[in-house]
Amino acid sequence: MSKIAIISQPDQGVLIDVSGCTTMQEAIDHLSSTLQVSSQFWKGSNVALNLGKLELAPNQVAQVLAIAKGVGANPQTVWSDSAVTRTGLTQNNVQIGTGAPMSLPKVNLDSSAQHDFVQEEFPEEPPIERSSEEDITHFYETQDGESLKQEFSAPVEEPEDKAVKTAPLPTVLYLRQTLRSGQTVSHKGHLVIIGDVNPGAELMAEGDITVWGALRGIAHAGIGGNVQAEIRALKLQPIQIRIAHAIARSPDRPRVKFASEKFTGPETAKLVEGKIRISKRSID
């Protein structure tokens, strides 16, 4: 069970769940390490907290709130199963949540279909040739950090059936943080972690999962049945990865190195013919 979970849903906001902690000190340790490492992410954000069954006196409630406020987060609503804690929340003028708080998504997996990772390399691909009539967009970075866009060449022809529209992509959650054992991040959309995901940590997303670091924990992309979801990392060394309803575990033997030294780019796991395959593409 996770000690702390960050649960994000675009239509409901972000909830920090420490109900997996059994003592106040454990909750404070996990809350501090989670918030302070990525303080820029939390600055100015409204969040909800779930304290579960933790029994906290008014001064202890104030201490928990101070940790969140210390990084600029604003705990607007707090859930608690403890009457003692709810009294402390009331004395600290905090709104107490009603009903059930957000929770980690429930997943249905076919454990009988679990398999080892299948490793492959991408084949050579010819270079992409641009047509002179193709619309080209360039981005330039200015000294103050703002981007300027400059467009060239002929406009692209619009399709005749303008009623057909591409469905909008899910919201992307970027979190700059290294996750350690007991920490879980869940997002209803695409999830990007800037940092490592260590053994015992878990990522969950309805869309893709991208880790700009080493993925050594558990990652589940495509929750809800999205078989097109992918998992990417600079180093894919997970205990287990899941895409939609498929499960793949790390083989007992060490993974073989890619045959070609030029395949030095990030690794990608995707679902191919019912099995999760890991491939690596050159960054040349």
Side-chain angles (χ1 to χ4, degrees):
M1 182 178 181
S2 298
K3 297 296 184 180
I4 184 169
I6 299 171
I7 305 171
S8 169
Q9 295 186 13
D11 57 339
Q12 298 185 50
V14 177
L15 176 126
I16 302 172
D17 190 336
V18 294
S19 61
C21 297
T22 56
T23 66
M24 176 192 169
Q25 189 58 51
E26 188 178 41
I28 286 178
D29 290 344
H30 281 282
L31 192 60
S32 298
S33 63
T34 299
L35 296 181
Q36 292 175 3
V37 170
S38 53
S39 57
Q40 287 299 113
F41 171 82
W42 300 104
K43 190 174 183 179
S45 62
N46 294 323
V47 299
L49 294 176
N50 181 15
L51 301 177
K53 297 179 180 179
L54 290 173
E55 291 193 357
L56 306 179
N59 64 314
Q60 293 174 318
V61 169
Q63 187 175 351
V64 170
L65 297 175
I67 293 173
K69 293 177 180 178
V71 296
N74 178 28
Q76 286 193 319
T77 307
V78 180
W79 273 265
S80 174
D81 297 330
S82 166
V84 174
T85 303
R86 288 198 295 271
T87 299
L89 291 169
T90 301
Q91 293 185 20
N92 281 275
N93 299 316
V94 178
Q95 178 178 336
I96 299 174
T98 58
M102 285 191 292
S103 59
L104 293 173
K106 296 181 179 179
V107 295
N108 296 316
L109 299 171
D110 183 5
S111 58
S112 63
Q114 180 171 283
H115 60 276
D116 289 351
F117 303 144
V118 179
Q119 183 171 296
E120 62 181 14
E121 292 183 1
F122 279 106
E124 290 287 343
E125 294 182 352
I128 299 175
E129 297 182 359
R130 288 190 179 273
S131 168
S132 59
E133 298 298 321
E134 191 175 13
D135 180 64
I136 304 173
T137 303
H138 295 279
F139 290 88
Y140 297 94
E141 192 75 12
T142 61
Q143 289 185 350
D144 59 0
E146 295 182 355
S147 295
L148 298 178
K149 183 172 69 173
Q150 187 173 358
E151 298 183 356
F152 302 91
S153 86
V156 179
E157 294 184 2
E158 295 290 336
E160 294 183 2
D161 185 6
K162 295 185 178 181
V164 178
K165 295 183 179 180
T166 304
L169 291 174
T171 301
V172 181
L173 174 64
Y174 288 87
L175 187 60
R176 186 185 298 272
Q177 180 174 345
T178 290
L179 299 180
R180 57 190 179 94
S181 178
Q183 296 179 327
T184 300
V185 178
S186 170
H187 181 58
K188 192 176 182 180
H190 298 313
L191 177 59
V192 179
I193 300 295
I194 311 298
D196 295 333
V197 179
N198 291 317
E202 186 171 359
L203 304 177
M204 308 174 76
E206 289 192 3
D208 297 347
I209 292 176
T210 301
V211 178
W212 194 255
L215 173 55
R216 300 188 181 96
I218 296 176
H220 188 170
I223 289 177
N226 180 5
V227 297
Q228 301 299 320
E230 298 181 355
I231 298 174
R232 311 175 193 89
L234 297 183
K235 289 184 179 180
L236 267 178
Q237 302 169 327
I239 299 171
Q240 183 187 85
I241 54 176
R242 311 165 185 170
I243 297 178
H245 304 299
I247 316 173
R249 64 180 179 86
S250 181
D252 295 331
R253 62 184 183 282
R255 287 175 55 201
V256 297
K257 294 182 178 180
F258 286 90
S260 175
E261 292 182 355
K262 75 174 185 175
F263 289 91
T264 57
E267 296 177 274
T268 301
K270 57 184 178 180
L271 202 56
V272 179
E273 297 179 350
K275 288 191 174 183
I276 297 176
R277 296 180 179 270
I278 294 180
S279 50
K280 199 168 192 176
R281 189 182 294 275
S282 171
I283 58 174
D284 294 342

